[in-house]
Amino acid sequence: MERVIKIGLLGLGTVGRGVYRILQENQESIEKRAGVKLEVKKILVKSLGKDRGIVIPEGVLTTDLADITSDPEINIVVEVLGGIHPTLDYVLEALNQGKSVVTANKDMVAEHGQRLFAAAQKNNCDLLFEASVAGGIPIIRTLKQSLAGNHIEEVFGIINGTTNYMLTKMTQDGSDFQEVLQEAQAKGYAEADPTADVGGHDAARKIAILASIAFNSRIPLHQVYTEGITKITADDIAYANELGYVIKLLGIAKERQEGVEVRVHPTFIPKNHPLAAVGDVFNAVFVRGNAVGDTMFYGKGAGELPTASAVVADIMDAARDIIRDVPGIIGCTCFEEKPVLDIGETHSKYYIRLQVADKPGVLASIALVFGNKEVSLKSVIQKEATGKTAEVVLVTHRVLEQNVTDALMDIKQLSSVLEIANVIRVEGEE
Amino acid sequence: MERVIKIGLLGLGTVGRGVYRILQENQESIEKRAGVKLEVKKILVKSLGKDRGIVIPEGVLTTDLADITSDPEINIVVEVLGGIHPTLDYVLEALNQGKSVVTANKDMVAEHGQRLFAAAQKNNCDLLFEASVAGGIPIIRTLKQSLAGNHIEEVFGIINGTTNYMLTKMTQDGSDFQEVLQEAQAKGYAEADPTADVGGHDAARKIAILASIAFNSRIPLHQVYTEGITKITADDIAYANELGYVIKLLGIAKERQEGVEVRVHPTFIPKNHPLAAVGDVFNAVFVRGNAVGDTMFYGKGAGELPTASAVVADIMDAARDIIRDVPGIIGCTCFEEKPVLDIGETHSKYYIRLQVADKPGVLASIALVFGNKEVSLKSVIQKEATGKTAEVVLVTHRVLEQNVTDALMDIKQLSSVLEIANVIRVEGEE
């Protein structure tokens, strides 16, 4: 008896087209591996007439959501529309109609995960979202299943391809932020309004999702400390290189006794760290578990086919669960409530670049302030700049962020300090 | 209602102890994540009295297999004995008694996979073996589930930690094979009889398993071309470095129109390849899928806790399946029969090091032979050696292996060629 699972697709943009293509092109092996035939019965689009560069059989496209959510033959709804409104309502409707849902929507999962999981659980459906973080890299299934025996201590990684492309370029060419941004926009790697990427907000949603799974505690997006790469200069990149580091925009989540740290910011990491070699638009996620030790997962974090690869894997899992009548076999795992620590309560090393007056005693006065605030220094570089100014670059030992913030408040008051040019956290070394 | 799944452990060596420890130490989170309490009811050991450095409650240890396989309360049997006899019989007995089986045994899975899967299917049980390849790296679940929507084109990687440690040391210190082997043995990284590791046989079993899953076609172990690292010298390492490569022992599996290539051998890979940075005892597996593109999975390939991490994840999956009454939801996927190509039918680039007489015309005569056999050369280095001999190092373009073999047969006959010192395949670049 051949069993067919029918799918409703919400959206036929880049990822939707990729999902449709993979289901067609790899049809035979997908059917054998899933143990069931998968068929896209309906696709919700805004306009029936638009040319999408792909042949869709007659009658499959629809502009009416009810053609999908009210069709009892459709068991799986795949959401690749993006955005939150009206997408969230569509997805809740699908779950309430008893459809398993596969989504690639990080915004929706990060901000409304709780409502979505509650609806999935109530209706005994799968809610799968592998594609929402790091595109084709199977990090969510890895955390939920493959590393489930571990106490996860840290998850951190490069989870935004646009900014990784830009930082890679800046490192290779010594070019400045604005220049590289324009190049990335010309290549289609950065949006016309690049705020979500370069401001770190895209990465914040993804690390909120990863941290929630890793620590079994829902991390509200507004509690993720978020800092983008807009202040990174060619000078910072050059100093990083001189000091043995590269600069990456990292999403970082760590569990400590007092609570969890969840943050996104540009980060110095040692050149020999596995993440340092991850260039261009590639993503990689580093996970440390108490049993497995250090692991890393690398691949393309975006794009039509890599993202669709993750969506199709979720569809296959959902289909298997439906045939065996066990949807929801792996559901929400946020069964704890751990406090999210304020950024002032986190610990890190810090790279600090200061513009100072080029006169005797400046360094001593700066060092004194740091000492008073219990910030111990690991290395100091002083360089002459133009005319009467000099540049001081410090790297601290591992210290409490609040102490650094307090020290910098006092340092700003020093008459010989002209500017705190940049402060960047250092991670990935003992 | 609290549900408890009871486990029988076969063996309490390094990995068995790790499994027991993780199940104890991470008990609370494992119970919440699996949705069920896991309890080790019985452990099969050879001797009850031996001190294993771990406290086991009274009555848990047994020397009688039947205490496990005939106990209807035990639903999951975890095999961490190793070896094939009598382990295979024990595991078949467990499956035939309707127990799901989790194993870390690459030898058994690679050589007797077909019988084991048939027994699992017949008895409607899970047969899970994540720990059998690359220790803590979740590569099997990744291939079976997360990348299941892809047509997998290539899987290759560093899947033997001992040899990777040795090659890393040889590269860092310029030391010779024998010297490093002794050091590895002293550190416990290599066995007293190191043949399985340095001869490539351990890696061959693992790549046979990975290829079988990736290509959905059972790869018999005897069809895996296997070459170890015993012939690698400090000279080869130095030439690799000079030419922009590092030497790694790789397991390689590629699908081509004509069939599949499955082989283990020392390999030149470019220094900027993600696998090149994988040092010491770490493992990493590179997978190329037609949708996801290039991905890589990195972690510890052996050791008590990393291996146990994979075993425990499998136990949790098996437990979930048992509670939901769906064991075997993801079973054997070898539903095709693809021919395994002979090594002569494979394509690669080749590094070839020759000892020749130091006189005019030698290089020309060598180049002529290669040309006659359609082996085109990419680069040639000639170095003076002691007295009247010189060393010629060639790197070919991508060619058919049989042509290289034929050319070398002819080259051996040239009176000016004293020795074919080494031939090493080059992979990981276009």
Side-chain angles (χ1 to χ4, degrees):
Chain A
M1 189 194 69
E2 192 194 47
R3 177 88 191 263
V4 182
I5 295 280
K6 299 201 176 175
I7 297 163
L9 205 55
L10 308 184
L12 192 55
T14 306
V15 177
R17 204 169 51 226
V19 170
Y20 194 85
R21 275 180 56 194
I22 294 179
L23 288 174
Q24 298 299 313
E25 283 170 26
N26 298 348
Q27 189 170 20
E28 202 184 331
S29 64
I30 286 174
E31 184 178 339
K32 284 182 179 158
R33 289 173 185 164
V36 62
K37 200 173 156 69
L38 300 175
E39 182 191 316
V40 177
K41 187 176 179 190
K42 287 284 176 189
I43 304 175
L44 181 71
V45 292
K46 276 196 187 135
S47 146
L48 297 179
K50 188 174 162 191
D51 178 17
R52 294 175 175 87
I54 184 174
V55 180
I56 307 282
E58 195 134 350
V60 169
L61 296 184
T62 177
T63 56
D64 185 0
L65 177 71
D67 280 351
I68 291 174
T69 51
S70 303
D71 184 340
E73 273 197 358
I74 290 178
N75 290 122
I76 299 174
V77 170
V78 177
E79 185 277 301
V80 284
L81 282 170
I84 291 182
H85 302 292
T87 312
L88 176 64
D89 292 335
Y90 291 3
V91 169
L92 288 170
E93 172 65 11
L95 290 168
N96 288 329
Q97 294 295 330
K99 321 282 186 211
S100 283
V101 168
V102 173
T103 176
N105 192 327
K106 61 188 169 297
D107 305 29
M108 184 178 72
V109 173
E111 291 183 36
H112 301 278
Q114 193 157 13
R115 278 181 72 186
L116 290 166
F117 281 109
Q121 198 170 353
K122 196 183 105 200
N123 296 288
N124 232 4
C125 299
D126 275 336
L127 171 64
L128 303 174
F129 51 101
E130 181 66 79
S132 68
V133 178
I137 306 175
I139 186 64
I140 290 178
R141 194 172 279 100
T142 294
L143 289 173
K144 285 209 170 202
Q145 283 184 264
S146 301
L147 301 180
N150 286 260
H151 177 84
I152 303 293
E153 296 165 354
E154 295 184 12
V155 179
F156 60 96
I158 297 165
I159 48 181
N160 179 275
T162 304
T163 49
N164 201 47
Y165 171 82
M166 291 176 63
L167 291 170
T168 304
K169 270 281 167 194
M170 288 173 75
T171 303
Q172 282 167 353
D173 307 346
S175 40
D176 249 318
F177 176 80
Q178 277 305 332
E179 195 181 323
V180 171
L181 176 58
Q182 279 162 23
E183 195 187 319
Q185 285 170 323
K187 286 199 175 184
Y189 290 161
E191 313 266 341
D193 175 0
T195 317
D197 291 318
V198 301
H201 311 294
D202 173 83
R205 294 189 177 97
K206 293 169 180 168
I207 196 69
I209 294 172
L210 291 181
S212 301
I213 298 169
F215 306 141
N216 299 119
S217 176
R218 195 170 312 284
I219 309 298
L221 186 56
H222 68 88
Q223 288 191 279
V224 180
Y225 173 83
T226 307
E227 198 182 303
I229 65 164
T230 51
K231 287 194 316 185
I232 303 295
T233 67
D235 285 346
D236 295 319
I237 302 262
Y239 279 118
N241 183 49
E242 189 176 335
L243 293 160
Y245 299 95
V246 293
I247 303 181
K248 295 288 185 188
L249 181 71
L250 296 191
I252 299 173
K254 298 186 186 190
E255 180 163 7
R256 284 165 42 201
Q257 198 117 36
E258 309 87 322
V260 296
E261 299 183 4
V262 191
R263 46 196 164 99
V264 170
H265 51 70
T267 315
F268 274 42
I269 53 170
K271 283 179 188 174
N272 64 0
H273 191 281
L275 286 175
V278 176
D280 295 323
V281 295
F282 276 90
N283 283 17
V285 181
F286 199 87
V287 182
R288 179 172 292 168
N290 73 336
V292 76
D294 289 348
T295 57
M296 191 179 80
F297 307 90
Y298 164 96
K300 285 198 179 124
E304 176 183 337
L305 292 178
T307 309
S309 165
V311 171
V312 171
D314 278 353
I315 294 173
M316 292 170 74
D317 266 9
R320 272 192 210 98
D321 290 352
I322 289 165
I323 309 172
R324 301 280 188 133
D325 201 20
V326 291
I329 191 167
I330 299 180
C332 179
T333 48
C334 289
F335 38 70
E336 302 197 39
E337 279 190 45
K338 296 176 183 171
V340 179
L341 299 172
D342 186 81
I343 189 70
E345 301 172 278
T346 65
H347 290 77
S348 198
K349 297 180 188 177
Y350 297 82
Y351 152 92
I352 298 162
R353 180 161 63 88
L354 306 169
Q355 306 293 341
V356 301
D358 193 5
K359 56 182 185 186
V362 175
L363 204 56
S365 62
I366 292 169
L368 184 67
V369 175
F370 278 118
N372 286 341
K373 299 297 180 186
E374 293 180 21
V375 175
S376 61
L377 302 175
K378 189 183 151 197
S379 66
V380 178
I381 304 175
Q382 177 157 3
K383 295 217 170 168
E384 271 183 53
T386 49
K388 293 177 180 163
T389 73
E391 196 155 54
V392 172
V393 171
L394 310 126
V395 178
T396 74
H397 283 292
R398 196 169 175 72
V399 293
L400 183 71
E401 171 130 345
Q402 191 59 54
N403 292 352
V404 174
T405 310
D406 292 348
L408 289 173
M409 290 279 282
D410 289 357
I411 283 167
K412 224 183 230 169
Q413 308 304 320
L414 298 176
S415 61
S416 52
V417 172
L418 311 173
E419 192 199 353
I420 298 171
N422 218 341
V423 180
I424 302 175
R425 294 168 192 83
V426 182
E427 296 278 352
E429 58 186 3
E430 293 316 309
Chain B
M1 186 194 69
E2 193 194 45
R3 177 85 191 263
V4 182
I5 294 281
K6 300 201 175 173
I7 297 163
L9 205 54
L10 308 184
L12 193 56
T14 306
V15 177
R17 203 169 51 227
V19 171
Y20 194 85
R21 275 181 55 192
I22 294 179
L23 288 174
Q24 297 299 315
E25 283 170 25
N26 298 346
Q27 189 171 22
E28 201 184 333
S29 64
I30 286 174
E31 183 177 339
K32 284 181 178 159
R33 288 173 185 164
V36 63
K37 199 173 158 72
L38 300 175
E39 183 191 317
V40 177
K41 187 176 178 189
K42 287 283 176 191
I43 304 175
L44 181 72
V45 291
K46 275 195 190 139
S47 146
L48 297 178
K50 187 174 163 191
D51 178 18
R52 295 175 175 87
I54 184 173
V55 180
I56 307 282
E58 195 135 350
V60 169
L61 296 185
T62 176
T63 55
D64 184 1
L65 178 70
D67 280 350
I68 291 173
T69 51
S70 303
D71 184 340
E73 271 197 0
I74 291 178
N75 291 124
I76 300 174
V77 171
V78 177
E79 184 276 302
V80 284
L81 282 171
I84 291 182
H85 302 292
T87 313
L88 176 64
D89 292 336
Y90 291 3
V91 168
L92 287 171
E93 172 65 12
L95 290 168
N96 288 329
Q97 294 295 333
K99 322 283 185 207
S100 282
V101 168
V102 173
T103 175
N105 191 327
K106 61 189 169 299
D107 306 30
M108 184 179 71
V109 174
E111 291 183 38
H112 302 278
Q114 193 157 13
R115 277 181 73 187
L116 290 166
F117 281 110
Q121 198 170 355
K122 196 184 106 202
N123 295 290
N124 233 5
C125 299
D126 274 335
L127 172 64
L128 304 174
F129 51 102
E130 181 67 79
S132 69
V133 178
I137 305 175
I139 187 64
I140 290 178
R141 195 171 279 100
T142 293
L143 289 173
K144 284 210 172 201
Q145 283 184 264
S146 301
L147 301 180
N150 286 260
H151 177 84
I152 304 292
E153 296 165 353
E154 295 183 12
V155 179
F156 59 96
I158 297 164
I159 47 182
N160 179 275
T162 305
T163 49
N164 201 48
Y165 171 82
M166 291 177 62
L167 290 170
T168 303
K169 270 283 166 192
M170 287 174 76
T171 303
Q172 283 168 353
D173 307 347
S175 41
D176 247 319
F177 175 80
Q178 277 305 335
E179 194 181 323
V180 171
L181 175 59
Q182 279 161 21
E183 193 186 321
Q185 284 170 324
K187 286 200 174 185
Y189 290 161
E191 313 265 341
D193 175 359
T195 317
D197 291 319
V198 302
H201 310 294
D202 174 82
R205 294 189 178 98
K206 293 169 180 168
I207 196 68
I209 295 172
L210 291 181
S212 300
I213 299 168
F215 305 141
N216 299 119
S217 176
R218 195 171 312 281
I219 308 298
L221 186 56
H222 68 88
Q223 288 192 279
V224 180
Y225 173 84
T226 306
E227 198 183 302
I229 64 164
T230 50
K231 289 195 315 185
I232 304 294
T233 66
D235 284 346
D236 295 319
I237 301 261
Y239 279 119
N241 183 48
E242 187 177 337
L243 292 160
Y245 299 94
V246 293
I247 302 182
K248 296 288 185 187
L249 181 71
L250 297 190
I252 299 174
K254 299 185 185 190
E255 180 163 7
R256 285 165 41 201
Q257 199 116 37
E258 308 87 325
V260 296
E261 298 183 6
V262 191
R263 44 195 165 98
V264 170
H265 51 69
T267 315
F268 274 42
I269 54 169
K271 284 180 187 173
N272 64 1
H273 191 283
L275 286 176
V278 176
D280 295 324
V281 295
F282 276 90
N283 283 17
V285 181
F286 199 87
V287 182
R288 178 173 291 167
N290 73 336
V292 75
D294 289 350
T295 57
M296 191 179 80
F297 306 91
Y298 165 96
K300 285 196 180 125
E304 175 183 337
L305 292 178
T307 309
S309 164
V311 170
V312 171
D314 278 353
I315 295 174
M316 292 170 74
D317 265 9
R320 272 191 209 99
D321 289 353
I322 289 165
I323 310 172
R324 302 285 188 129
D325 200 20
V326 291
I329 191 168
I330 299 179
C332 178
T333 48
C334 289
F335 38 70
E336 301 197 40
E337 280 189 44
K338 296 176 183 169
V340 179
L341 299 173
D342 186 81
I343 189 71
E345 300 172 280
T346 65
H347 289 77
S348 199
K349 298 180 188 178
Y350 298 81
Y351 152 92
I352 298 161
R353 180 160 63 89
L354 305 170
Q355 305 292 342
V356 301
D358 193 7
K359 57 183 185 184
V362 175
L363 203 56
S365 63
I366 292 168
L368 184 67
V369 174
F370 279 118
N372 286 340
K373 298 297 182 187
E374 294 180 22
V375 175
S376 61
L377 302 175
K378 189 183 151 198
S379 65
V380 178
I381 304 175
Q382 178 157 4
K383 295 216 171 168
E384 271 182 54
T386 48
K388 291 175 183 165
T389 72
E391 196 154 55
V392 172
V393 171
L394 309 126
V395 178
T396 75
H397 283 290
R398 196 167 176 71
V399 293
L400 183 70
E401 171 131 343
Q402 191 58 56
N403 291 353
V404 174
T405 310
D406 292 347
L408 291 172
M409 290 279 281
D410 289 357
I411 283 167
K412 227 182 229 170
Q413 309 305 320
L414 296 176
S415 61
S416 52
V417 172
L418 310 174
E419 192 198 354
I420 297 171
N422 218 341
V423 180
I424 303 174
R425 294 167 194 83
V426 182
E427 296 278 351
E429 58 186 3
E430 294 314 310

